[in-house]
Amino acid sequence: MRTFKPSTIMAALMASGLAYIAQPVYAQDAEPEETPPDEEVIERIEVRGFSTSLIQSLNQKRFSDTVTEQISADDLGGLPDVSMADALTRLPGISAVRTGGQAAEINIRGLAGDFVFSTLNGREQVSTSGSRAIEFDQYPSELINSAAVYKSPKASLIEGGVAGTVELQTASPLAIEEQHKFSANVRGMYNDRASEIPDAEEYGHRISFSYQGKFMDDTLGVSLGYARLFQPSVSTQFVGLAYNGEVDVDGIEGDTDNVGSECPECELISEGFEIQHKGGEETRDGYMAAIEWAPTADFTLKADAFISKFDSEAFARGYRVKLGGVNAGITNPVVVNNSVVGGTFTRTDSSFTRVELVNDDNQDFDQVESYGVKADWQITDDLSAQFDVSLSKAESNFRNGLLWSLVAEDAGAVSPTFDENVQISYLLNGLNLPDVAFNQADAFSDINRVMVSKYGIYPFENEDELHAYRGDFQYLVSLPVISSFEFGYRYSDREYNNDRSVFEYGNDGGFSVNQPPLRLTQDMVDVVNWSGDYSYFPSYLSVDLNAALNAWFPNGVPQPQQTWGPGAAGVINGPGTGPNTAWSVQESGDVFETVNAAYLMANLDTELGDVRVTGNVGVRYVQSKQRSTTLQRATRFVTDPETGTSVEVSDPTAGAQNIMDETGLINNFYRPTILTHEFTDMLPSINLNFGLTDNTQLRMAAAKVMGRAPINRFAANASTTVEEVTATMDRDSGEVTLSKPTAKINGSARNSPYLDPFYATQYDISWEYYFEETDGALIVAGFYKDIDSFIENIAIEPYNFEDNGFIVPSEIEVPVYLEAEFSGQEPELARDANGDPMFITVPTENGRYETAINNAKGGYIRGIELAYTQIYSMLPGAWSGLGVSASFSYTESEIQRTLSDGVFSSRLPGLSENVATLTVFWEYEGFETRVSGRYRDAFVSEQVAVNDQTVNFDDELVIDYQASYEINDNMSVLFQVNNLTDEPTKSYFTSEEQTGTIQFFGTQYFLGLSYTL
C-alpha cells in the first residue's frame, strides 16, 4: 500500500476538519516531503473500480472531526445513481421516500426531510418542495463529486440539521492531477410497465458531459458539466381514501368499539377509493460551472454555479369511487376492527354515491439555482480566512388540472340527466388489491353514457430565494490541548412566496344547468383496458384533455386566476352570488426570514497517556427573525333596528382596505399586515476522537441542535368560515326545512409565523476499526436525541372564537329555496307577498378550530448503526476483487403525534425501526458487477390522494443491479437495472385492513457507454 505523511500544518488541518479548505493551496507545494522513519504514518488506501469510491469514502470518514458518512467519486459523472437521493440511501441510517418510484426526500435516523439540512459547496440550499425538505432527485449525481452527511454537528456548520446535515460538493478544477479531463456518459432506458399504460413513454435516456482543465501554470482551473435525464414516469395504482365517516352498520346492541367518538356504536367508513393508470415524462437538465484562480500559493478565488431544471408532465386516468358517506344505503357490510372494509353501497336521495371517471393532467416545472463566490486567503502562516457570497433560488410551478366525467342516463338527450342508479360492491384485501363490482361498469366505456361534468385547475406557485454572506477564520496556536481556533459570522436573508389561483367549471357531483356537461365524440376518447395485476377491473374511457377543453370552450380555455370569487363575503363590486374562492387570495403571501449567526470553536489535539485525542469544542450563537404577510378580518356588525338583523360591514377604523384581485373584484373586509417573531439561541457542541490504536478510534459527541419549521408553515393564513345551511320550502304547505338548526363557525390557522424551531440535545458514540491486512472497516455507532417539541396540527372544539379576537356573526341570514320538482331542476328562490326573496335567520354556534402549535411533548429518538465494508484482497486470483458493503440501523422513539384530520398514525413521520443496505460487488480485469439492496421496514409519511393524508407505509426492499466492462483505458460499457423486482409502494391508514396505496412503478433498464479522456 502507498502511504503519505502530511506536513505539520496539514496534519493540524486534517485533525480540525480543514483539509478540504486548505487543499488548493497545499496542492501547489513543489515537492512532497520524505517520510521520516520516526514519524507516524497515516495510511491512504488506493484501489480502482467501484471500490475506489468506497475506500475514498472511508478515508474521508476516518479523518473527519465529526460523526459523518461520506460518498466520493473519482471524477464528475463517476456516481452511477440517477440522483443524489439514490446515492445517499446507500449510507448507514439513511432511507428514502419514493415519489413516483424514484427516491426524492431522504430520512436520517428516523427523522423526515424537514429535519434534514442541506448545503451545496457549503452554502444553504432552498427547495422546490415549498418547505425546507430538499428534493434530492433535483440534483444529478453526474454533477456532484462528493457528499457528506454530518450526523454530529460542530459550531462551524450552519445550524438547522436536527436529523443531520447533507453537504454536497461539486468539482474543484485545481485539485485534479491531470492537466485536462473530459468524460461523457450516454445511457438508454426502458420501463417494463409502460406498455400497460396507453400513451405512456417506454423509453428514456441519460446523457452527461464534463470537462475539467488547468491553465496558466496551474493557477487557473475550469470545470464544466451538463447532465440530462429523460425518463418515463409510469405506475398503476389503487388508492384508498380516508376513513372520515361514522355510521352504525352492524346494529349490534351495546357496541361501543368506536372509542372516543360521539357515536361509540358506529363503525368507520371510507370516503372511497381510486383505481388509476399514471403516465408521463420527466426531464431534468443540470448545469455546473466553476472557475478557480490561484495567483499565489496563499490566495484562491473560486466562482461556481449550479442549475437544475426538472420538468414533469403527468396524467392520471381511471376512476374515483365516492361511496357516499353516512347517508348511503349499506348492505352486507364487512367489518374488521370496527372499520367497514367491504359491502354494497347504493346511492340514496341524500347520499352522493357515484363513480367519477378521472382524466387528471399535472404539470410540474421546478428549477433550483445556486451561485457563489469564495475567496480563500492564507493571511499568515498561522492565520487563514475564507469569505463567501452566495445566492440560492428555487421556483416551482405545479399545475393540478382535473377533468371529471359522470355516467348519464342518455348522453344524447337534450337535457341529459345524471344516472342516479349507482351501486358499488367492494371488498378490501389489506395490502393486496381489492375485489370490486359496479352496476354501471359497462357504461364506463360507453360514449353514449359518459359525459364530462367538471374541469378544474389549481396551480401552486412557489418562489424561494436566499442571499447569504459569510466569513470564516482559522488561527493556529501551539497550546497544550488546543491546536487552533475557528470563528466566523454569517448573515442570510430569505424570502418565500406562495401564490394560489383557481378556475372551476361544471359540477363533479352531478350535471350543472348553468354550466352544462360536454358530450364526448369518438375522436376525443379511447377505451382503456387494464392488464397484469389489475386486469379484472372494468374498462373506462380515456379522454383527450385538449380535445375536450377545445370543444367545451370554443372561444379559448379560461386560465386560473387568484380571485375572491363573486360569492365571497366583503366583495363590493360583484353580483353577490357565485363561487367563493377567497382561499386563493388568503393562502397567497410572503414569508421573510433573516438570520445572524456567529461561532467560536477550538480544535483539540492532545494525548491522554498513549491515546491521541482530537476534535473540537465550540458554541454557535443564532439570532432569527421571521415575518409573514397576512390578511386579517377588519369588520364590525351593524344591527338593523327594524328587522333586528345583524349585518357584517367593513370597518375602516380597524384598518379595512379595498383589496382588488386579478379579476377586478374588490373586497373591503380585510386589512393587510405583517406578523413578526424574533428569538435567539445558543448552540454548544463538542466532538472528541480517541485514537485507541493505529487502526481503531472511538468518537464521542454532544450538542444542542435546532431546526426551523418548514418555511411554508410560517405563512399566516388564519381564517374562519360559517357552515353552510340550506333552507327548503314545501311548495304546498309552505313549511320551511333547515338542513341544520344552527350554523357552526369553524376556523383554521395551520400555519403561523410564531412557530418556534425544533430543539434537541443529542449524543453520539462511534467505534471504528479500519482493517490492516485488507481494505475496509467495521463501525458500530449509537445515538440518542432528546427532542423538546414538534409542530402538530390540533383541533379544539368547541372553540370560543369571539373571546380569542375573531370577528364572527351571532346569526346568519339563509335564503329560502322552493323544493325541487324534478332532479336537475335549477334552484328557485322562494318569494314573499311583495315578490322579494325570502330569508330565514339561523343562529351560529362555536365549532372547530384547527391550529399549528409547538407541542411540549417531545421525547427521545435513539438507535444503533452497524456498517461493514471489506474488499477481500487476501483471496486468491480473481476472487481478490470480491467485496461487500453492508449497513444496518435500528431506531426507536417514544414520540407520538396527535391523530387528527388527515393524520392516521401516531408514529413519528420518517422513522423506520430497521433500515439495512447490502451491496455485493466483484471486480476483475476491467469487469465489474454488483447487486444492491435497500430495505426499510414500516414507516409513516404523507400520501397524496384527494387530500394530503399522513398514513403508514409498509416495509419495502428495493434491489438494483449493475455490470460494467472497461473496453480500454478510455471507454467502458454499462448495464443497469433499477427496482429489479418491481417493488410496489403499499400503505394503510390506522391498521392494515384500511388499505391506503398499492402502487407499482415498473423496472427500469439502462444500457450505456462511458468515455473519458
Side-chain angles (χ1 to χ4, degrees):
M1 293 184 194
R2 293 175 53 193
T3 62
F4 78 98
K5 173 67 182 180
S7 66
T8 304
I9 292 178
M10 177 56 84
L13 291 174
M14 289 177 63
S16 63
L18 299 177
Y20 176 79
I21 295 173
Q23 186 177 7
V25 176
Y26 181 72
Q28 297 177 66
D29 289 348
E31 294 290 338
E33 298 180 17
E34 292 292 326
T35 304
D38 57 336
E39 293 193 13
E40 178 187 1
V41 173
I42 301 176
E43 291 185 328
R44 181 179 62 189
I45 310 166
E46 294 188 356
V47 288
R48 295 178 61 82
F50 172 70
S51 49
T52 303
S53 173
L54 293 178
I55 301 307
Q56 285 180 345
S57 299
L58 284 178
N59 274 325
Q60 292 167 351
K61 177 182 179 70
R62 182 176 186 175
F63 298 121
S64 173
D65 60 345
T66 65
V67 178
T68 66
E69 306 295 343
Q70 304 275 347
I71 297 175
S72 177
D74 266 346
D75 305 305
L76 283 174
L79 295 176
D81 308 277
V82 173
S83 72
M84 288 309 299
D86 290 305
L88 290 166
T89 56
R90 292 194 266 115
L91 298 175
I94 300 175
S95 53
V97 178
R98 291 193 294 165
T99 302
Q102 302 291 329
E105 175 189 313
I106 67 168
N107 304 154
I108 299 178
R109 288 181 163 178
L111 288 169
D114 278 323
F115 297 90
V116 177
F117 188 78
S118 184
T119 63
L120 177 66
N121 296 326
R123 301 166 183 133
E124 180 179 358
Q125 296 296 288
V126 297
S127 173
T128 57
S129 66
S131 65
R132 294 189 194 272
I134 298 297
E135 295 182 319
F136 286 97
D137 58 343
Q138 186 88 41
Y139 294 81
S141 63
E142 298 94 333
L143 301 183
I144 302 298
N145 244 37
S146 64
V149 178
Y150 292 91
K151 294 180 175 178
S152 71
K154 56 182 178 179
S156 58
L157 282 177
I158 303 173
E159 73 288 342
V162 172
T165 296
V166 177
E167 162 65 3
L168 306 178
Q169 289 281 352
T170 57
S172 177
L174 288 181
I176 63 174
E177 295 181 4
E178 300 88 345
Q179 202 67 27
H180 300 278
K181 270 189 176 182
F182 172 79
S183 67
N185 294 279
V186 179
R187 300 177 191 178
M189 172 192 167
Y190 169 74
N191 186 297
D192 66 354
R193 271 197 180 264
S195 60
E196 299 178 2
I197 301 173
D199 299 327
E201 290 284 343
E202 295 183 66
Y203 298 96
H205 58 260
R206 287 176 63 188
I207 302 173
S208 68
F209 304 94
S210 66
Y211 167 76
Q212 296 171 267
K214 296 188 292 188
F215 306 89
M216 299 172 57
D217 297 326
D218 295 350
T219 62
L220 181 68
V222 175
S223 290
L224 298 171
Y226 168 72
R228 178 180 177 84
L229 168 70
F230 174 81
Q231 65 181 6
S233 171
V234 300
S235 67
T236 48
Q237 66 178 23
F238 171 88
V239 179
L241 304 182
Y243 285 74
N244 53 13
E246 296 178 326
V247 63
D248 184 8
V249 299
D250 57 15
I252 298 176
E253 188 174 348
D255 176 13
T256 58
D257 290 341
N258 199 23
V259 180
S261 168
E262 295 180 359
C263 181
E265 71 278 8
C266 287
E267 284 71 44
L268 301 174
I269 62 172
S270 168
E271 183 181 341
F273 52 87
E274 301 175 349
I275 307 171
Q276 295 178 344
H277 285 122
K278 299 187 73 174
E281 305 169 0
E282 295 179 345
T283 305
R284 184 187 64 201
D285 289 294
Y287 309 85
M288 185 280 299
I291 183 167
E292 192 170 13
W293 181 47
T296 70
D298 298 328
F299 182 79
T300 302
L301 184 66
K302 181 182 178 183
D304 56 76
F306 176 90
I307 300 172
S308 177
K309 300 179 180 180
F310 202 148
D311 297 340
S312 171
E313 299 191 30
F315 61 79
R317 298 171 182 165
Y319 26 83
R320 178 179 296 119
V321 176
K322 293 295 187 70
L323 294 175
V326 299
N327 294 318
I330 305 174
T331 56
N332 302 317
V334 179
V335 180
V336 179
N337 290 336
N338 207 55
S339 299
V340 177
V341 299
T344 298
F345 283 68
T346 304
R347 185 180 178 98
T348 66
D349 291 339
S350 55
S351 79
F352 53 85
T353 309
R354 64 184 185 272
V355 179
E356 303 168 359
L357 300 186
V358 175
N359 283 267
D360 295 351
D361 176 55
N362 295 330
Q363 297 177 314
D364 196 1
F365 304 103
D366 294 342
Q367 178 169 319
V368 296
E369 303 173 47
S370 180
Y371 307 96
V373 178
K374 181 178 181 180
D376 193 331
W377 182 20
Q378 188 72 38
I379 302 171
T380 68
D381 289 343
D382 297 328
L383 180 63
S384 59
Q386 299 81 41
F387 303 97
D388 189 271
V389 178
S390 64
L391 168 64
S392 177
K393 298 174 62 176
E395 297 179 10
S396 176
N397 185 353
F398 175 64
R399 298 174 66 87
N400 181 211
L402 309 175
L403 191 74
W404 291 274
S405 300
L406 297 172
V407 174
E409 292 183 358
D410 179 6
V414 176
S415 298
T417 58
F418 170 58
D419 183 1
E420 296 186 349
N421 179 22
V422 182
Q423 192 173 81
I424 301 158
S425 297
Y426 79 102
L427 177 64
L428 299 182
N429 293 312
L431 298 181
N432 296 305
L433 291 173
D435 301 318
V436 296
F438 308 94
N439 71 322
Q440 294 179 330
D442 292 340
F444 294 168
S445 55
D446 186 351
I447 198 172
N448 296 313
R449 298 289 303 280
V450 175
M451 302 189 76
V452 176
S453 64
K454 183 176 180 178
Y455 173 64
I457 183 167
Y458 310 90
F460 295 74
E461 296 182 47
N462 298 314
E463 293 184 3
D464 205 345
E465 186 169 312
L466 183 142
H467 299 260
Y469 309 88
R470 179 174 179 175
D472 298 273
F473 299 84
Q474 301 83 37
Y475 185 67
L476 299 177
V477 296
S478 298
L479 297 176
V481 176
I482 299 174
S483 61
S484 65
F485 287 100
E486 296 184 41
F487 53 95
Y489 168 77
R490 178 179 179 270
Y491 170 82
S492 67
D493 187 7
R494 183 172 185 172
E495 181 176 347
Y496 167 80
N497 173 264
N498 178 47
D499 276 321
R500 297 299 313 276
S501 53
V502 60
F503 171 74
E504 293 180 316
Y505 185 89
N507 189 337
D508 61 333
F511 294 151
S512 171
V513 176
N514 296 328
Q515 298 173 335
L518 170 70
R519 182 171 187 188
L520 295 167
T521 56
Q522 198 63 52
D523 60 323
M524 297 181 191
V525 300
D526 289 304
V527 176
V528 178
N529 302 311
W530 295 89
S531 59
D533 300 320
Y534 291 73
S535 58
Y536 61 93
F537 292 114
S539 303
Y540 64 91
L541 285 181
S542 167
V543 180
D544 184 313
L545 179 70
N546 292 329
L549 293 181
N550 289 334
W552 216 5
F553 306 104
N555 297 323
V557 180
Q559 295 302 305
Q561 293 179 304
Q562 189 178 116
T563 175
W564 297 104
V571 172
I572 60 176
N573 61 337
T577 59
N580 177 356
T581 55
W583 58 265
S584 68
V585 179
Q586 293 171 310
E587 291 183 13
S588 303
D590 301 308
V591 173
F592 308 95
E593 181 180 84
T594 303
V595 179
N596 287 274
Y599 72 92
L600 174 63
M601 185 172 76
N603 292 304
L604 311 176
D605 191 349
T606 187
E607 291 186 355
L608 292 176
D610 294 332
V611 176
R612 185 182 179 190
V613 181
T614 58
N616 55 68
V617 59
V619 64
R620 189 173 186 89
Y621 171 81
V622 183
Q623 183 184 69
S624 306
K625 181 178 181 180
Q626 50 204 45
R627 296 172 294 151
S628 171
T629 62
T630 187
L631 297 175
Q632 293 181 333
R633 199 88 160 192
T635 59
R636 59 191 177 92
F637 287 90
V638 177
T639 302
D640 187 324
E642 295 183 4
T643 63
T645 302
S646 293
V647 179
E648 187 178 11
V649 298
S650 175
D651 186 1
T653 63
Q657 298 182 16
N658 289 340
I659 301 173
M660 181 184 294
D661 66 18
E662 293 179 353
T663 68
L665 293 176
I666 299 173
N667 194 312
N668 66 358
F669 271 19
Y670 297 90
R671 69 182 184 98
T673 188
I674 295 179
L675 305 181
T676 302
H677 181 45
E678 298 184 55
F679 52 92
T680 59
D681 294 291
M682 298 289 287
L683 306 174
S685 62
I686 183 170
N687 290 273
L688 297 176
N689 182 24
F690 300 88
L692 304 179
T693 69
D694 290 343
N695 299 304
T696 307
Q697 57 190 19
L698 178 69
R699 297 183 189 272
M700 301 177 68
K704 180 181 179 182
V705 294
M706 66 173 287
R708 296 181 179 86
I711 191 75
N712 58 334
R713 299 303 300 269
F714 291 154
N717 56 3
S719 62
T720 58
T721 59
V722 180
E723 190 176 33
E724 183 179 357
V725 178
T726 58
T728 306
M729 175 181 285
D730 186 282
R731 292 177 180 267
D732 297 325
S733 66
E735 181 182 356
V736 176
T737 303
L738 292 172
S739 60
K740 300 180 181 69
T742 61
K744 279 190 176 181
I745 298 172
N746 298 310
S748 68
R750 292 199 169 192
N751 302 326
S752 170
Y754 300 113
L755 289 172
D756 288 324
F758 315 102
Y759 293 105
T761 303
Q762 67 176 46
Y763 306 92
D764 288 88
I765 185 168
S766 175
W767 178 83
E768 303 169 6
Y769 174 67
Y770 296 88
F771 303 138
E772 186 173 3
E773 299 300 327
T774 63
D775 302 329
L778 174 64
I779 297 166
V780 181
F783 66 92
Y784 183 95
K785 295 178 184 285
D786 184 8
I787 297 182
D788 291 347
S789 66
F790 281 90
I791 292 178
E792 279 202 313
N793 293 329
I794 65 168
I796 304 170
E797 187 175 7
Y799 181 80
N800 195 320
F801 286 90
E802 188 173 2
D803 286 356
N804 284 280
F806 287 89
I807 300 174
V808 293
S810 59
E811 56 188 28
I812 60 171
E813 297 296 307
V814 176
V816 179
Y817 289 89
L818 293 174
E819 188 176 32
E821 296 176 296
F822 56 87
S823 177
Q825 181 182 11
E826 188 172 354
E828 181 181 353
L829 280 169
R831 298 181 180 275
D832 60 19
N834 297 323
D836 297 324
M838 293 180 61
F839 291 85
I840 188 171
T841 301
V842 177
T844 63
E845 66 171 321
N846 287 321
R848 181 186 183 95
Y849 184 64
E850 296 181 354
T851 187
I853 64 166
N854 288 94
N855 70 26
K857 297 176 183 178
Y860 68 74
I861 300 175
R862 62 191 181 191
I864 59 171
E865 297 170 346
L866 307 176
Y868 166 70
T869 299
Q870 188 165 16
I871 301 170
Y872 301 109
S873 55
M874 81 293 285
L875 296 177
W879 294 107
S880 62
L882 185 66
V884 170
S885 179
S887 69
F888 169 78
S889 66
Y890 173 79
T891 307
E892 65 172 12
S893 176
E894 65 177 347
I895 300 170
Q896 291 190 328
R897 293 162 58 97
T898 300
L899 298 182
S900 60
D901 284 356
V903 177
F904 294 90
S905 178
S906 61
R907 296 162 57 196
L908 184 64
L911 189 147
S912 290
E913 284 194 345
N914 299 287
V915 174
T917 66
L918 173 64
T919 299
V920 179
F921 58 93
W922 180 60
E923 300 171 357
Y924 181 69
E925 294 186 353
F927 176 74
E928 175 188 304
T929 184
R930 64 180 180 269
V931 60
S932 301
R934 306 192 305 267
Y935 171 81
R936 70 179 302 183
D937 63 9
F939 66 101
V940 170
S941 188
E942 195 169 85
Q943 165 187 298
V944 178
V946 177
N947 299 301
D948 293 346
Q949 301 165 162
T950 301
V951 298
N952 300 280
F953 280 77
D954 193 30
D955 58 2
E956 60 182 28
L957 172 62
V958 180
I959 299 175
D960 302 326
Y961 173 75
Q962 181 172 312
S964 63
Y965 178 69
E966 290 186 1
I967 299 173
N968 54 45
D969 289 342
N970 303 111
M971 188 174 297
S972 63
V973 293
L974 175 141
F975 174 68
Q976 187 175 353
V977 184
N978 289 348
N979 195 17
L980 185 65
T981 60
D982 192 11
E983 179 77 354
T985 289
K986 297 183 177 182
S987 71
Y988 53 92
F989 292 93
T990 305
S991 50
E992 286 191 10
E993 68 274 357
Q994 297 179 342
T995 312
T997 297
I998 302 174
Q999 188 173 24
F1000 292 85
F1001 306 106
T1003 299
Q1004 295 175 325
Y1005 298 86
F1006 295 86
L1007 180 64
L1009 181 70
S1010 296
Y1011 179 80
T1012 60
L1013 181 65

